Amino acid sequence: MKRSQYAVIGLGRFGSSLAKELIQLGYEVLGIDKDEEAVDELSDELTHVVVADATDEEVIRSLGIRNFDCVIVAIGDDIQASILTTILLKDMGVKMVVTKALSELHGKVLQKIGVDRVIYPERDMGIRVAHQLVSPNLLDYIELSKEYTIAELSVPQCLSGKTLKELNPRGRFGCSVVAINKKSGVIIAPTAEDTVHERDVMVLIGTKQQIDSFEHTVIR
């Protein structure tokens, strides 16, 4: 099975953090920035890095950007460049375009031009966004420490009606469901007999590896 490919345009603090985490998660990442120094710093960490002006249509097209599964526009403080790049990517038919917004107004403009997702870095750390991009059922992701993580996972239709005993996350993967958020309210410290249904939200605690294993094996 072909691995998803991501491109990150803008390798500042947010963009580089997100790109490196995507690499850690096992995906191929192309990093693009017009600052040669920023590109050099990540040359040994990303799959490919390129010095380029993302507002130059010919240059971006020559990189085969249309073939990437998702392109993240993480341009720093140049709103015009961010908007122009996003428009170019949408016009080229990129499958999914995710753009960092510098303000609420910037975000509204991005939505008007049809961006697939707007990110506000003040609210969304690069690491959390990386996990959410590659895991559609992952609603939130918070690192408690270098090892332990809390994650919110949306229950898909294929698990609807199953008990926690049947899913057995602790026995099979080592992580624990500490709460289930249902329309009727939140169940704290659910028992093995509690049932999950589609669109419930399971709150899990465990290591990154344990939660990733649970999600990839049970949910996907």
Side-chain angles (χ1 to χ4, degrees), residues 67-109:
N67 299 320
F68 283 79
D69 300 288
C70 177
V71 180
I72 301 100
V73 181
I75 292 171
D77 54 2
D78 189 338
I79 289 179
Q80 184 176 337
S82 165
I83 292 169
L84 287 175
T85 301
T86 302
I87 291 170
L88 278 178
L89 296 171
K90 292 301 293 180
D91 281 351
M92 286 179 194
V94 173
K95 296 172 197 168
M96 183 175 186
V97 180
V98 177
T99 304
K100 165 185 154 183
L102 304 174
S103 65
E104 292 289 336
L105 183 58
H106 183 196
K108 284 180 183 176
V109 172

Side-chain angles (χ1 to χ4, degrees), residues 4 6 14 18 21-22 25 27 70 72 96 98 117-121 123-143 149-154 201 208 211-212 215-216 220:
S4 295
Y6 292 82
F14 177 78
L18 189 148
E21 189 67 14
L22 286 168
L25 291 168
Y27 296 90
C70 177
I72 301 100
M96 183 175 186
V98 177
R117 180 172 174 183
V118 178
I119 295 167
Y120 296 91
R123 302 196 302 241
D124 299 317
M125 293 186 306
I127 289 173
R128 289 170 69 184
V129 173
H131 283 263
Q132 290 165 349
L133 288 175
V134 302
S135 305
N137 293 296
L138 184 66
L139 304 179
D140 204 356
Y141 175 94
I142 300 167
E143 284 192 325
T149 293
I150 285 183
E152 290 184 347
L153 291 169
S154 177
V201 175
K208 276 173 59 174
I211 291 173
D212 285 348
E215 192 205 351
H216 285 80
R220 289 191 177 182

Side-chain angles (χ1 to χ4, degrees), residues 34-42 51:
K34 60 182 181 181
D35 181 348
E36 193 171 341
E37 194 176 321
V39 168
D40 286 344
E41 281 182 17
L42 292 171
V51 179

Side-chain angles (χ1 to χ4, degrees), residues 32 52 100 114 156 213:
I32 303 169
K100 165 185 154 183
S213 294

